[in-house]
Amino acid sequence: MRDAVGSFVGWPSDLIFPDAETPTRPTHKVGKGISRRIESVASQKEVPGRKLKCAAKDIPTTSGTKSQIMMHLEKMVDESDIMHGGIRSIDFDEGVFGAAHFEIIAKEDMQQLFEHDELGIAVIHTYIWYMYVTLMRGTELCNRFNFIAASRINATLITKNPTSVKNDLVDRFMAAGDNTTPSLYFLPFNSGNGGHWVLVAMDLSRLIVYYLDSLSGDWSKYLSMKKTVDAAIIKFRSKKNYRNRKDITWVRVQCPQQNNSVDCGFFVLRFMRDIIALNRIDIPKMYFEEYKSYSRAHLDEIKDELCQFIVDQRII
C-alpha cells in the first residue's frame, strides 16, 4: 500500500501555490463559542462549482496505492509548518450548516487522510464543505439537502445537555425554511470520544428518519440520540404550527457494510455523496442498486476528491 511513499512524482507547475498564506496558531483553545477568526486564503476565494462524477460511473478497481494528488498534498504538508504544530482555520460558506462555521485543520487531520485512519470531525466537515461547493451551491439541490454539524449534535453533548442539543437541532431546521416539501437533513452522528460514525437522514415533511450504519445493529444502540431527534422534530413542527399527521417513522437502511474498524467515517461520507449525486430524497430500505457494496476504491475516491479540494482551495 505504501510502496509509492517517498518516490518522486512530477506535478504541473500551475498546481503549486508558493504564495499561499499561512495563518498563525491561535493562543486560545478551539471550542464551541470560542472565536476562531484566523482566515486562510480558502475563506476569501470562490471556486467555480463543479459537478461530482456521475453516481453510476464505474469506479477503478485498483486501490492500495496513494494517488498523485494525495502524494502531492502530502508533500505540501510535509514542507509546511503544519508538521510542527501549525494549523489552518477555514471559514465555511454559511449555507453549509445554516450559520457561520469555522473549522481547524491540523497535522492529525491530514494524517487521517494520508494513512486511511479513523476520521475526526474536521475531515468529516471539510468533505461536507466540498460537496456543498462542488455539487450543491447555486442549484436547487440546496433546497433538497441540508447538513447538520457533527460538532453540535453528538453522543457526548447529548449526555451533557440534551435540551441544548435539541434546541440546536430545532434552530437548524428553522434556518432552512418551512420544510413542507421533501428534503433531507444529513446528520453525521458520532457515538462519542472518537467512536463510531453513523448517518441519520431526516425528512421533516414526511416524518421519516433514515438510519444508515456500516456496522450491524440499529438505532437502539443510541436511544438518547433517537429521543433527541424525535423531540426536536416535534418541537419544530409545533413552532411552525404543523399538525403531526402521524408518528415519526425510523427506517434502518440495509446499506453497505465495512469489514474493518476504521472505515465508518469514510462510509458516512460516501452515503451522503451518493444520495446527493443520485438526487434521491427517498432512500430505499435495501439501499441503491448502484451501490450494494463499497470497495476500497470507492473510499479512495473520497480521499482523492478531498485532497484535490484542499489543493484547489489553497488551504495548506
Side-chain angles (χ1 to χ4, degrees):
M1 174 178 176
R2 294 180 171 83
D3 292 341
V5 176
S7 61
F8 176 80
V9 178
W11 196 256
S13 60
D14 61 338
L15 290 182
I16 300 175
F17 306 99
D19 61 336
E21 294 181 10
T22 302
T24 57
R25 175 189 288 273
T27 57
H28 53 261
K29 292 183 179 179
V30 174
K32 184 179 177 183
I34 302 296
S35 175
R36 299 185 284 189
R37 292 286 183 175
I38 307 173
E39 296 185 358
S40 68
V41 173
S43 67
Q44 305 168 16
K45 179 183 177 183
E46 289 292 321
V47 175
R50 303 187 305 273
K51 298 298 182 183
L52 290 174
K53 297 177 182 177
C54 176
K57 183 178 178 65
D58 292 337
I59 306 297
T61 56
T62 58
S63 63
T65 58
K66 293 182 179 179
S67 65
Q68 287 191 347
I69 185 59
M70 179 176 288
M71 289 189 290
H72 172 61
L73 179 58
E74 191 169 21
K75 185 175 184 295
M76 291 175 65
V77 171
D78 287 342
E79 295 174 350
S80 75
D81 66 324
I82 289 180
M83 296 302 296
H84 307 286
I87 57 95
R88 299 295 184 272
S89 180
I90 311 169
D91 184 358
F92 284 18
D93 302 55
E94 287 194 10
V96 178
F97 294 122
H101 182 87
F102 304 89
E103 202 63 58
I104 299 295
I105 301 293
K107 175 182 176 180
E108 57 268 26
D109 304 307
M110 302 309 303
Q111 289 177 332
Q112 292 165 12
L113 276 181
F114 301 150
E115 303 303 326
H116 195 91
D117 204 351
E118 297 179 31
L119 298 183
I121 284 179
V123 176
I124 296 288
H125 282 176
T126 305
Y127 188 81
I128 286 174
W129 182 36
Y130 157 77
M131 288 189 291
Y132 177 84
V133 169
T134 58
L135 183 63
M136 295 172 55
R137 187 169 62 188
T139 75
E140 66 171 7
L141 294 178
C142 286
N143 298 321
R144 292 174 61 81
F145 301 103
N146 303 279
F147 300 105
I148 299 168
S151 55
R152 303 295 296 272
I153 317 289
N154 56 62
T156 301
L157 295 179
I158 290 174
T159 300
K160 292 179 179 179
N161 195 336
T163 300
S164 176
V165 173
K166 177 189 70 176
N167 291 336
D168 278 349
L169 196 49
V170 172
D171 289 344
R172 179 65 183 103
F173 296 156
M174 297 291 290
D178 59 11
N179 292 288
T180 56
T181 57
S183 63
L184 283 181
Y185 286 84
F186 291 122
L187 168 61
F189 180 79
N190 191 269
S191 62
N193 299 319
H196 182 55
W197 288 100
V198 302
L199 179 63
V200 178
M202 295 161 270
D203 182 343
L204 303 187
S205 66
R206 296 185 298 164
L207 293 178
I208 297 175
V209 179
Y210 298 99
Y211 179 86
L212 293 85
D213 189 343
S214 56
L215 293 177
S216 60
D218 60 19
W219 54 83
S220 62
K221 295 185 292 185
Y222 311 113
L223 288 178
S224 61
M225 177 272 289
K226 181 180 184 299
K227 181 179 179 181
T228 301
V229 168
D230 286 347
I233 293 174
I234 291 171
K235 183 175 180 178
F236 164 74
R237 293 183 65 84
S238 175
K239 288 173 70 74
K240 285 289 191 176
N241 294 318
Y242 297 152
R243 299 177 61 182
N244 287 325
R245 304 183 305 272
K246 58 181 180 178
D247 294 334
I248 299 169
T249 300
W250 282 66
V251 177
R252 184 186 187 279
V253 178
Q254 303 297 315
C255 54
Q257 300 288 285
Q258 66 188 83
N259 58 10
N260 58 30
S261 61
V262 302
D263 278 351
C264 56
F266 293 103
F267 271 64
V268 163
L269 296 179
R270 188 79 207 195
F271 293 153
M272 290 188 287
R273 179 197 191 277
D274 292 341
I275 293 167
I276 294 172
L278 291 169
N279 197 8
R280 293 285 298 272
I281 299 299
D282 58 317
I283 305 174
K285 187 173 183 179
M286 301 306 294
Y287 205 54
F288 303 108
E289 288 296 329
E290 293 90 339
Y291 296 112
K292 289 299 185 182
S293 64
Y294 290 148
S295 67
R296 176 58 184 269
H298 287 97
L299 308 186
D300 286 346
E301 187 178 26
I302 294 288
K303 293 186 293 185
D304 289 347
E305 289 171 345
L306 186 51
C307 286
Q308 185 66 63
F309 184 66
I310 290 172
V311 171
D312 291 345
Q313 290 282 320
R314 304 177 65 181
I315 292 174
I316 303 305

